[in-house]
Amino acid sequence: MLASTAALADKKSDTLKMAYDQAPESVDPYYNNVRIGVIITANVWDTLLFRDPMTNEYKGQLAKSWKQVDDRTLEFELRQGVKFHNGEEFDADSVVYTLTFVADPKNKAVTQQNVNWIERVEKLDKYKVRIVSKTTFPGAKEYLSTTAVMHPAKYYKEVGPSGMNAKPVGTGPYKVVEYVPGKSILLEKNADYFKDSPKTQPKIGKVLIRFIPDRQTQVAEVISGGVDFIMHVPQDQAEKLKAMPSVQVQSGNTMRIVFMQMNIQDGTPAPQLKDVRVRKAIAHAIDRQAIIKNIVGQGSVLLNTICTPSQTGCTDEGATVFKYDPALSKKLLAEAGFPNGFDIDIVAYRERQQTEAIMNYLQAVGIKPKLNFMQYAAMREMIRANKASLTHQTWASNLVNDVSASTPVYFGFGSDDITRDAEVKALLDKGDHTVDTAARKEHYKQALNIIADKAYAIPLWSLPVYYVAGKDVSFKTYPDELVRFWEMGWK
């Protein structure tokens, strides 16, 4: 009765309450890459283009039309009459200032890979701009339809990223009305959202997102009616919750890939990882199929290369496959000089059950891992400071369905690359900047095969997501793992 009453009360107040385990390090989209930040971004901000998540067709969002002037230049005719949440007008200045600022390395955008392809942005008139890439970049429209959101030029110039984090301002279907860092963020329907947007007009009046690190607490909250919507629920709990009449459970596979990074840089805390036999031993020690079946969940796909299978350019053709073989794992460890295994640290930030299963398999061959479980931003900085050994990692490419948003992030000599193979980087660079589809795929294929053959990282599986919501919530799941509040409603 309590659960039913709570759910009805939320529906009556027209406030959807969501819980999430990670807090964004910044609400400014260019200074965050935690999933909840990506979700907030899509609901509060808009991009020049919009990619339909089902058909992959590009449509005009803040741009009403566009054309490819040459291999490096896109020209956009902008919508007129669009207002930011603070009343500032959207125009060419918004595009020029936003993209010029975040593409400048000195401004240290966290998501540099999303904008570092931009050479310059030119204002042609108040409602027309050109975006010129540094070299030929076939993924440009993909980034401009997913991650490259627009800020109000005057406001952003005044307050910068810290001010945008404190008081976020976009043009999207929802606006931020209250933000308590690390605790919660309250969104309110933008009643003036422009009618020509391919995003629908928002239905629910308010969305309250609470940051609750403990998954068990989240589940208890959704059962009691304290929250209406949670995601990334472990498979075993989700299956049990299906029997409860007060909630609904939906699931589906996503673009998010799971893999293990292995630090082989100079100064690595685990020099054992420099030996390819040790890396291969770790790969052979893990029964990926068993973990998928028993823990990861329905819809998950086994991966053999570090990219999302649906992404343009992703392939596992010809890649070395590491099958579960603990005897071979022990043999390789002995050959490398570690017949009794060794101690090693492993860092992770989510899917703890999966991490612990991986650790159990490693212990079975003599490798004794010690877990350091933390928030994503802290884990990322630990990796970048060369202080992490093994990392249980996930990546969803910030919605971008192109290999340039996945593999090069970890193998393109950026701040998250702890392998730094020059041959791999050169091949990825060619793939990123080749227009011909077949040639592009071949470059990526060669890079992915080297990564697999040298066991620089261990591809594990794609990550399905289980969503649990109150029975009165109407929602749809998508492979890009994006919660579209503007589509949600009450039954």
Side-chain angles (χ1 to χ4, degrees), residues 285-287 290-292 294-296 351-364 392 461:
I286 303 166
D287 190 342
I291 295 176
I292 288 173
N294 298 315
I295 298 174
V296 183
E351 314 308 330
R352 186 167 185 146
Q353 285 181 301
Q354 295 179 25
T355 312
E356 290 173 348
I358 290 167
M359 291 170 64
N360 287 338
Y361 280 113
L362 295 179
Q363 286 170 345
H392 180 206
W461 42 75

Side-chain angles (χ1 to χ4, degrees), residues 30-31 48 91-109 112 114-124 129-134 144 148-153 156-157 161:
Y30 294 103
Y31 294 85
L48 291 174
D91 57 19
D93 290 337
S94 314
V95 181
V96 173
Y97 186 80
T98 301
L99 295 183
T100 302
F101 180 87
V102 298
D104 187 339
K106 76 169 186 265
N107 293 319
K108 297 180 180 178
Q112 263 292 305
N114 295 339
V115 290
N116 62 9
W117 54 272
I118 298 171
E119 180 180 276
R120 66 183 185 276
V121 188
E122 302 169 351
K123 177 181 178 179
L124 302 182
V129 297
R130 279 185 174 179
I131 300 175
V132 183
S133 59
K134 292 174 181 175
L144 293 170
V149 304
M150 295 300 134
H151 288 329
Y156 204 42
K157 196 177 294 184

Side-chain angles (χ1 to χ4, degrees), residues 19 83 102 121 152 155 198 223 255 263 281-282 289 334 336 416 426 463 476:
K83 299 282 188 183
V102 298
V121 188
Y155 178 67
I223 291 172
M255 291 175 62
N263 185 354
I282 291 172
Q289 292 282 16
D416 296 304
L463 191 67
K476 181 180 178 180

Side-chain angles (χ1 to χ4, degrees), residues 202-257:
K203 303 175 185 69
I204 293 176
K206 291 183 180 179
V207 177
L208 175 64
I209 303 169
R210 294 166 54 201
F211 307 122
I212 303 175
D214 183 64
R215 293 267 177 88
Q216 301 292 341
T217 304
Q218 287 185 29
V219 171
E221 286 272 9
V222 81
I223 291 172
S224 69
V227 298
D228 305 291
F229 187 85
I230 58 176
M231 60 192 293
H232 302 135
V233 178
Q235 179 197 21
D236 57 343
Q237 293 184 348
E239 293 299 330
K240 292 174 184 175
L241 288 168
K242 285 180 179 179
M244 298 193 65
S246 63
V247 300
Q248 56 180 310
V249 178
Q250 291 190 36
S251 65
N253 198 22
T254 70
M255 291 175 62
R256 185 173 296 275
I257 60 172

